[in-house]
Amino acid sequence: MEQDQDQLHSYIENLYAEDPDLERVGESLKALGLKDISVAPGYGRLLTMMVRMTGARRVLEIGAFGGYSGICLARGVGPEGRVVSLEVRAEFAELARTNLQHAGLAERVEHRVGEALEQLKRMEQEGERFDLFFIDADKGNYPAYLEMALVLGRPGALIVGDNTFMRGKTLDPAYQGGGPRSMRLFNERIASHPMLESTILPAYDGLAIARIKD
Ligand code: DHB
Ligand code: MG
């Protein structure tokens, strides 16, 4: 009776129609010889739904990579909404833009290239505020990104974080490097921060979903 994760994932993906705009992202990564570390398809669909369900109009993504989650977020915000996507590597921002253009969504997404923490601090000074955050970048900075999301988030804003398990490293005390240690701290804060209500989904590589209390 016990199915492994791959069987469950392929069962689910077979239920859904092909999604050429998202499949193009995978193909573009493959063509460049890059490992596809885009958000899982089930979480991509969830991102679109969370943006729509909350009516978020201003979304901040930390980590663009190939644009997969950017497409999912841009679908959710609708034609009037905006996604700001922070990406440290110019070539990834460029790739994400190309894939968003193919999907007809580029005008909803503004890519900003540079260190995310510096950009977040500048946004704080400039009074920029957001309704939903998707954190999917360097794992060592997750606690700092969470702190900045708490500053830049409006009451009721959602803070979503990918890879809370780090393929098991988060749970394994043998891993004492910066990434897993930071992810443990991030998860602890997600679960216990007095400003947040939250849950952590165990499918795929783990997804944290928190809401800033009103
Ligand atoms: C990996 C997966 C991710 O979703 C990510 O953001 C970073 C790394 C990985 O599987 O290595
Ligand atoms: Mg990820």
Side-chain angles (χ1 to χ4, degrees):
M1 267 303 285
E2 193 72 357
Q3 279 90 11
D4 69 24
Q5 291 293 303
D6 285 348
Q7 286 175 300
L8 297 173
H9 294 161
S10 49
Y11 169 70
I12 294 170
E13 291 320 311
N14 285 329
L15 298 173
Y16 286 90
E18 288 179 12
D19 191 325
D21 291 327
L22 291 179
E23 279 154 28
R24 188 180 294 107
V25 177
E27 286 155 17
S28 71
L29 293 167
K30 206 173 185 178
L32 292 169
L34 293 166
K35 182 175 161 223
D36 192 344
I37 54 165
S38 305
V39 74
Y43 285 160
R45 289 187 289 268
L46 181 60
L47 286 175
T48 304
M49 291 180 69
M50 287 191 290
V51 175
R52 286 221 183 93
M53 288 188 289
T54 57
R57 282 290 166 268
R58 283 183 52 79
V59 170
L60 182 69
E61 171 179 73
I62 307 176
F65 194 46
Y68 189 105
S69 51
I71 289 174
C72 298
L73 296 166
R75 285 173 173 171
V77 294
E80 304 305 318
R82 288 296 172 262
V83 178
V84 174
S85 179
L86 309 183
E87 175 53 59
V88 72
R89 293 179 63 168
E91 65 270 32
F92 290 163
E94 201 49 51
L95 180 65
R97 280 216 76 67
T98 302
N99 285 323
L100 276 147
Q101 263 154 12
H102 276 296
L105 295 165
E107 67 281 4
R108 299 181 192 178
V109 183
E110 181 193 339
H111 286 95
R112 299 185 190 171
V113 177
E115 289 289 341
L117 268 184
E118 285 171 26
Q119 306 203 42
L120 291 164
K121 283 175 186 151
R122 189 162 56 239
M123 285 189 243
E124 178 188 5
Q125 283 159 13
E126 289 169 4
E128 288 196 58
R129 294 295 178 267
F130 295 90
D131 308 306
L132 189 146
F133 299 82
F134 180 51
I135 303 171
D136 192 17
D138 49 322
K139 308 312 172 203
N141 273 320
Y142 266 41
Y145 296 150
L146 175 59
E147 205 170 298
M148 288 308 298
L150 285 162
V151 172
L152 297 175
R154 300 195 174 109
L158 286 194
I159 303 171
V160 183
D162 191 31
N163 308 108
T164 58
F165 297 157
M166 295 186 74
R167 293 196 262 146
K169 289 182 190 161
T170 307
L171 293 72
D172 185 344
Y175 289 93
Q176 286 300 324
R181 286 172 81 106
S182 297
M183 192 61 82
R184 283 172 208 136
L185 196 60
F186 175 82
N187 290 337
E188 285 158 20
R189 290 188 181 157
I190 285 284
S192 64
H193 198 290
M195 282 175 68
L196 296 173
E197 52 190 332
S198 71
T199 191
I200 299 176
L201 303 183
Y204 302 107
D205 197 25
L207 191 79
I209 304 174
R211 178 183 178 275
I212 301 178
K213 293 177 187 170
D214 303 287

